[in-house]
Amino acid sequence: MQPIHHSVKCTLMDLVLKQGEGCRTLPLAGHVGFDSLPDQLVNKSVSQGFCFNIMCVGETGLGKSTLMDTLFNTKFEGEPATHTQPGVQLRSNTYDLQESHVGLKLTIVSTVGFGDQINKEDSYKPIVEFLDAQFEAYLQEELKIRRVLHTYHDSRIHVCLYFIAPTGHSLKSLDLMTMKKLDSKVNIIPIIAKSDAISKSELTKFKIKITSELVSNGVQIYQFPTDDESVAEINGTMNAHLPFAVVGSTEELKIGNKMMRARQYPWGTVQVENEAHCDFVKLREMLLRVNMEDLREQTHSRHYELYRRCKLEEMGFKDTDPDSKPFSLQETYEAKRNEFLGELQKKEEEMRQMFVQRVKEKEAELKEAEKELHEKFDRLKKLHQDEKKKLEDKKKSLDDEVNAFKQRKSAAELLQSQGSQAGGSQTLKRDKEKKKTREEKSISDRTYTTAGKTPMVPWALKLFVQCD
């Protein structure tokens, strides 16, 4: 039989005490068997397995991935981040781990690019949105009619390991602002990364300075529970060691006769699991071996319930009416439904009136446009008629001019034909006279002389011309 976990015992005892208020205590005459219920719960939990989700928040180069590999003593395969994104990107990887007979579904969420921007004012916003998204997904699963929560993969973040740079002076404003925004949504455990970079005296002062700044700024970090007697002493002691100063390394070196995880430096060796060198063992003890179930419980009972309550209040759900009487879910639903229907009818009436008003305005605009079109049509029609009348007048005038021209043409042709007949005989007579005159002139100009002969007499010349 597996040993009963202390948190399971505590939860069961609280349940028995709460249910036993106002009930009589009766002695048993013999063994009944319900004392095996814790063992049954343990066996059932072991068979179903567990899930645990860790978020690592911190600036680039503080050894977040290395610490995760060291913490679970394995090598988580993952693509290296390029750090070329303009903002903070959250990368989630889930792994199935097995130790003895217990299975663990581990999810590690890393904040790629956190603190890489010049303007770091909004670096926390993607982290807050991611945490709210996991709460919302679980709430939506709870509100379903057919829920399968026993097989649902719970992606809510159970613990946030916030990595602080080992400056030795004070917290950066980015660290304070981010932790202040996250403390109501996740369990925060601050750790000083690469604590071997500063001396022991500086480390002690740095822890005191960090604790003082967290308290003065109202940042609520996770406190290990001290209500369970079995772990009250160790948790109380470990609360005084916060924040843990850790060193991570996956390299094994031979120290003495043993192989240990350590970091080799020119001046010496830092052993990861040596409590005199760093607080890695304390972190692993508190995080995994003692308080893992409490972290899961705190996530559900505190952070998720706060988100759920605020979300339902935003939706209008209440536990009591104005008379401080309890509201049932059905009554609340009916009240919200009636309120919603009333608002819907009111908006519908407003939209209908707005629609009617717009229709009337549109009709008025159309009537005005129609009136303008009619007036324009009348103007164009009148203009067309005037143009048509002008064209008809011009056509009539042109027709009169054509007729007059034809008459004049006919008269001219007639006169020309008569004149050509009368002038033809005169022209012939004139032509004959002109010909005769030319001939006579030609004859008079001719002189016929021959060597040793007498010139021709005029009558002979005339006879010659006639014969010719």
Side-chain angles (χ1 to χ4, degrees):
M1 185 66 65
Q2 295 291 337
I4 301 174
H5 197 277
H6 71 278
S7 60
V8 177
K9 287 182 179 179
C10 182
T11 304
L12 184 61
M13 290 302 296
D14 291 341
L15 181 63
V16 172
L17 290 175
K18 289 180 181 179
Q19 293 180 349
E21 293 179 357
C23 298
R24 295 184 299 167
T25 302
L26 298 177
L28 300 179
H31 182 263
V32 177
F34 60 79
D35 60 347
S36 65
L37 181 58
D39 297 331
Q40 297 176 31
L41 291 175
V42 170
N43 293 334
K44 184 177 180 180
S45 299
V46 170
S47 64
Q48 290 180 350
F50 302 89
C51 71
F52 192 61
N53 305 321
I54 303 176
M55 174 181 283
C56 298
V57 181
E59 297 181 76
T60 304
L62 292 181
K64 299 185 291 294
S65 301
T66 303
L67 183 64
M68 288 298 101
D69 293 344
T70 310
L71 198 61
F72 291 93
N73 197 19
T74 186
K75 178 65 177 176
F76 294 111
E77 298 296 335
E79 298 180 359
T82 57
H83 297 278
T84 58
Q85 300 295 332
V88 180
Q89 303 291 326
L90 279 85
R91 181 181 298 177
S92 178
N93 295 305
T94 303
Y95 309 93
D96 288 323
L97 306 179
Q98 187 78 22
E99 187 176 27
S100 298
H101 300 291
V102 179
L104 179 66
K105 185 180 288 293
L106 176 67
T107 300
I108 299 177
V109 180
S110 58
T111 54
V112 180
F114 181 80
D116 290 349
Q117 296 76 31
I118 297 176
N119 183 7
K120 303 177 176 63
E121 183 178 357
D122 297 333
S123 297
Y124 68 90
K125 288 185 177 179
I127 304 174
V128 173
E129 292 173 358
F130 179 84
L131 294 172
D132 287 342
Q134 312 316 309
F135 287 150
E136 182 65 23
Y138 193 86
L139 178 60
Q140 293 299 325
E141 184 64 26
E142 274 194 332
L143 294 177
K144 286 182 179 179
I145 297 176
R146 296 182 179 180
R147 302 184 300 179
V148 286
L149 292 175
H150 62 283
T151 59
Y152 174 77
H153 174 57
D154 187 4
S155 59
R156 296 173 296 177
I157 302 301
H158 299 124
V159 62
C160 170
L161 298 180
Y162 196 92
F163 289 69
I164 301 172
T167 59
H169 297 287
S170 60
L171 287 173
K172 299 179 181 179
S173 58
L174 173 64
D175 300 329
L176 284 172
M177 181 173 60
T178 304
M179 284 192 280
K180 183 64 178 177
K181 296 294 182 180
L182 299 182
D183 62 357
S184 62
K185 298 180 180 297
V186 68
N187 302 310
I188 300 177
I189 298 180
I191 59 177
I192 301 173
K194 296 185 176 180
S195 61
D196 53 340
I198 54 178
S199 64
K200 270 196 170 184
S201 59
E202 291 175 339
L203 186 59
T204 303
K205 295 178 181 178
F206 192 33
K207 283 188 176 184
I208 296 173
K209 183 68 174 177
I210 291 174
T211 304
S212 174
E213 290 183 347
L214 292 176
V215 173
S216 62
N217 287 276
V219 179
Q220 300 293 327
I221 63 173
Y222 175 73
Q223 295 291 322
F224 302 117
T226 56
D227 52 353
D228 187 355
E229 295 180 358
S230 61
V231 294
E233 183 179 356
I234 184 174
N235 280 347
T237 304
M238 291 303 169
N239 282 329
H241 283 83
L242 288 173
F244 293 130
V246 298
V247 176
S249 175
T250 56
E251 182 182 359
E252 291 190 351
L253 300 176
K254 188 174 183 181
I255 300 175
N257 296 326
K258 295 182 179 180
M259 296 297 294
M260 297 182 179
R261 283 178 294 179
R263 298 184 69 88
Q264 184 71 47
Y265 293 101
W267 45 262
T269 303
V270 176
Q271 301 175 21
V272 173
E273 299 186 60
N274 189 336
E275 294 190 43
H277 292 182
C278 67
D279 296 333
F280 172 79
V281 174
K282 295 182 178 68
L283 173 65
R284 183 179 60 187
E285 188 78 12
M286 292 295 99
L287 182 65
L288 303 179
R289 299 182 181 178
V290 179
N291 297 300
M292 179 184 284
E293 181 58 30
D294 185 73
L295 288 166
R296 287 158 43 91
E297 183 182 350
Q298 287 291 323
T299 299
H300 181 81
S301 61
R302 179 186 169 193
H303 302 294
Y304 170 70
E305 285 300 322
L306 176 62
Y307 175 85
R308 176 180 172 275
R309 183 173 68 250
C310 294
K311 195 72 174 179
L312 293 179
E313 287 178 353
E314 288 178 3
M315 296 169 63
F317 287 93
K318 298 180 180 179
D319 292 332
T320 58
D321 59 9
D323 298 331
S324 299
K325 294 181 179 179
F327 256 173
S328 67
L329 181 61
Q330 181 67 23
E331 292 174 351
T332 306
Y333 170 76
E334 290 295 336
K336 288 299 298 179
R337 184 174 182 273
N338 294 332
E339 182 182 352
F340 174 75
L341 290 176
E343 293 178 357
L344 185 63
Q345 291 176 356
K346 183 179 179 181
K347 289 182 179 180
E348 185 178 356
E349 181 64 22
E350 292 177 355
M351 291 180 66
R352 188 185 68 79
Q353 293 178 358
M354 187 182 297
F355 176 75
V356 171
Q357 182 67 23
R358 289 186 177 180
V359 168
K360 290 181 179 179
E361 293 176 357
K362 197 66 177 179
E363 287 179 352
E365 291 177 2
L366 291 175
K367 287 181 180 179
E368 186 68 24
E370 185 179 4
K371 184 179 178 181
E372 292 178 358
L373 286 175
H374 280 301
E375 292 177 355
K376 186 177 181 181
F377 176 74
D378 293 339
R379 290 196 302 269
L380 291 176
K381 185 177 180 181
K382 185 177 180 180
L383 182 63
H384 174 69
Q385 290 175 353
D386 294 341
E387 292 292 334
K388 184 177 180 182
K389 186 177 180 181
K390 289 180 180 179
L391 289 175
E392 289 177 352
D393 294 341
K394 287 183 178 181
K395 182 180 178 184
K396 184 177 179 181
S397 175
L398 288 174
D399 290 340
D400 294 342
E401 290 179 1
V402 169
N403 292 333
F405 176 75
K406 287 182 179 180
Q407 291 177 1
R408 290 196 300 272
K409 182 180 179 182
S410 300
E413 289 177 352
L414 180 61
L415 291 173
Q416 185 178 3
S417 62
Q418 292 176 358
S420 61
Q421 291 178 359
S425 58
Q426 295 177 2
T427 303
L428 182 61
K429 187 177 180 179
R430 286 195 299 271
D431 290 342
K432 286 182 179 181
E433 289 177 357
K434 287 180 180 181
K435 184 178 180 182
K436 184 177 179 180
T437 302
R438 286 196 300 272
E439 289 176 353
E440 288 177 354
K441 184 178 181 181
S442 174
I443 293 172
S444 64
D445 291 338
R446 291 179 185 176
T447 55
Y448 294 90
T449 58
T450 55
K453 292 183 180 182
T454 305
M456 297 181 67
V457 294
W459 60 268
L461 181 61
K462 184 177 181 181
L463 179 64
F464 175 77
V465 171
Q466 292 178 351
C467 292
D468 190 29

